[in-house]
């Protein structure tokens, strides 16, 4: 069934996601603070919105894909925001990676206006957004989830209800903790092996089929060995995610000692001008400690 969908936030992720919604036959009205970001999608058939409120007034379902909590807060709850245009029965789906606490605040404000809200962050990066193969982790009421599934399926390969509003972002933070700590552990291991005189590619091939093997290792070790830190997923975005994880953990009195340590590495890397490196660049922090680059001998 085709729907009237509003899409707010046409960045690296939002552009290909909105394209996949149009491919699936939905009618789109779009908005981004940066006018040129709308031009390509409008030229491909979407209507141009004048504000988040305007988009919401013209849509049954509104999707937001924004950098972080403050932007989501502004776009949904702020002046000219989604809630100024939404009607009772509108469904708002925030697909940004934000603090679960901000998602709960937005969910409560929506509920007070009779508007349904889901938090539905994604994993899979730009390639997954282009291919429509994102992993989508959703928090919210089952009825709202059921209504959203056909729309989310146009953008993702897996769509999983993980709990009430906020649970989608708790799941995403859990994902980001595992990825960041995995990259850091991989970095320590490969720096040690390289400084011992081994070829890191040989070490990678020797361990990848065993218990230490992982999607992270398979995706990131070859990038490090090739000295390719083109993003992918930027260090500054991962730092934002770990900050949100640490804030959420503090509010629940949960200690995340390993995450805290990796967060310090990410901050140091940003101060070193590497915020726009791929997150595999975490390894460069550990390389500096050992004055050893993970690369093939003689490279
Ligand atoms: P991006 O910075 O490329 O895009 C964000 C867009 O939002 C920009 O076009 C910006 O102009 C717009 N925007 C900001 N504030 C706005 C407002 N108030 N109203 C309207 N538009 C506004 O970011 P991205 O890489 O597309 O990431 C979006 C979200 O998805 C982030 O939370 C990120 O952590 C998450 N994410 C990104 C990736 C990735 O690989 N890039 C992977 C998974 C999840």
């Amino acid at each position: 069934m085709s729907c009237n969908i509003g899409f707010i936030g046409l960045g690296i992720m939002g552009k290909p996601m909105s394209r996949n919604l149009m491919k699936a036959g939905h009618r789109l009205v779009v908005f981004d603070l940066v006018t040129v970001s709308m031009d390509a999608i409008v030229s491909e058939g979407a209507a141009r919105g004048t504000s988040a409120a305007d988009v919401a007034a013209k849509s049954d379902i509104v999707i937001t894909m924004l950098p972080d909590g403050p932007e989501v807060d502004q776009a949904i709850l702020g002046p000219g925001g989604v809630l100024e245009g939404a009607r009772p029965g509108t469904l708002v789906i925030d697909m940004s990676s934000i603090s679960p606490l901000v998602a709960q605040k937005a969910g409560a404000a929506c509920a007070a206006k009779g508007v349904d809200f889901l938090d539905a962050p994604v994993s899979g990066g730009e390639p997954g957004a282009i291919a429509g193969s994102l992993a989508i982790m959703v928090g919210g009421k089952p009825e709202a989830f059921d209504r959203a599934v056909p729309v989310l399926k146009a953008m993702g390969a897996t769509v999983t209800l993980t709990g009430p509003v906020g649970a989608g972002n708790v799941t995403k933070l859990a994902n980001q903790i595992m990825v960041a700590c995995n990259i850091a552990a991989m970095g320590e291991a490969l720096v040690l092996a390289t400084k011992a005189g081994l070829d890191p590619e040989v070490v990678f091939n020797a361990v990848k089929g065993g218990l230490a093997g992982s999607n992270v290792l398979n995706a990131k070790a070859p990038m490090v060995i090739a000295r390719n830190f083109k993003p992918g997923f930027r260090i500054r975005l991962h730092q934002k995610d770990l900050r949100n994880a640490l804030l959420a953990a503090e509010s629940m009195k949960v200690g995340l000692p390993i995450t805290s340590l990796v967060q310090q590495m990410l901050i140091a890397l940003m101060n070193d001008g590497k915020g726009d490196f791929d997150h595999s660049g975490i390894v460069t922090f550990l390389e500096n400690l050992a004055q050893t680059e993970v690369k093939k001998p003689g490279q």
Side-chain angles (χ1 to χ4, degrees):
M1 199 183 71
S2 101
C3 304
N4 294 316
I5 297 177
F7 203 107
I8 300 167
L10 299 166
I12 292 177
M13 298 295 283
K15 268 204 196 74
M17 290 163 71
S18 58
R19 285 194 177 105
N20 282 330
L21 288 170
M22 288 197 284
K23 253 189 243 161
H26 300 296
R27 290 174 297 276
L28 252 64
V29 49
V30 297
F31 179 69
D32 193 292
L33 286 183
V34 179
T35 312
V36 293
S37 296
M38 285 188 274
D39 293 344
I41 301 300
V42 167
S43 74
E44 291 168 35
R48 187 186 296 269
T50 55
S51 67
D54 176 50
V55 163
K58 293 171 177 162
S59 309
D60 303 316
I61 296 179
V62 180
I63 296 174
T64 47
M65 192 53 170
L66 301 165
D68 195 5
E71 291 83 3
V72 172
D73 198 286
Q74 187 198 350
I76 296 180
L77 311 180
V82 169
L83 278 183
E84 282 187 8
R87 305 166 300 281
T90 303
L91 171 60
V92 176
I93 310 174
D94 177 45
M95 302 190 72
S96 329
S97 303
I98 64 169
S99 160
L101 306 175
V102 177
Q104 285 163 351
K105 179 183 167 199
C110 287
K113 283 200 75 178
V115 170
D116 286 321
F117 179 85
L118 296 170
D119 64 320
V122 308
S123 174
E126 189 184 18
I130 293 170
S133 63
L134 294 167
I136 306 178
M137 27 215 129
V138 188
K141 291 205 177 108
E143 313 82 76
F145 175 75
D146 290 344
R147 192 175 155 202
V149 166
V151 169
L152 296 176
K153 281 262 166 82
M155 297 177 280
T158 60
V159 181
T160 310
L161 182 64
T162 58
V165 169
N169 275 292
V170 172
T171 308
K172 173 68 181 176
L173 292 179
N175 181 83
Q176 295 305 82
I177 288 170
M178 288 188 267
V179 171
C181 295
N182 253 287
I183 294 174
M186 175 191 86
E188 287 194 355
L190 293 180
V191 166
L192 175 72
T194 308
K195 192 143 194 183
L198 278 64
D199 177 342
E201 193 169 75
V202 172
V203 175
F204 164 58
N205 285 325
V207 303
K208 70 182 181 192
L211 194 54
S214 67
N215 287 340
V216 166
L217 186 71
N218 290 342
K220 301 300 175 184
M223 286 180 75
V224 174
I225 295 165
R227 312 309 294 165
N228 167 20
F229 298 111
K230 186 172 166 285
F233 189 68
R234 291 173 206 280
I235 280 178
R236 69 175 74 259
L237 280 181
H238 217 141
Q239 191 271 335
K240 176 259 304 183
D241 289 337
L242 294 196
R243 186 183 65 227
N244 286 336
L246 290 165
L247 287 171
E250 189 183 334
S251 77
M252 291 180 276
K253 302 212 176 345
V254 172
L256 300 179
I258 303 176
T259 303
S260 307
L261 208 55
V262 179
Q263 173 72 329
Q264 299 302 311
M265 296 181 200
L266 293 172
I267 291 169
L269 288 164
M270 286 171 63
N271 288 335
D272 197 22
K274 294 178 175 170
D276 290 315
F277 273 36
D278 184 72
H279 54 169
S280 55
I282 291 172
V283 173
T284 64
F285 177 88
L286 301 154
E287 290 176 335
N288 279 341
L289 297 183
Q291 292 295 297
T292 299
E293 280 193 354
V294 175
K295 56 186 181 192
K296 291 178 75 59
Q299 186 185 330

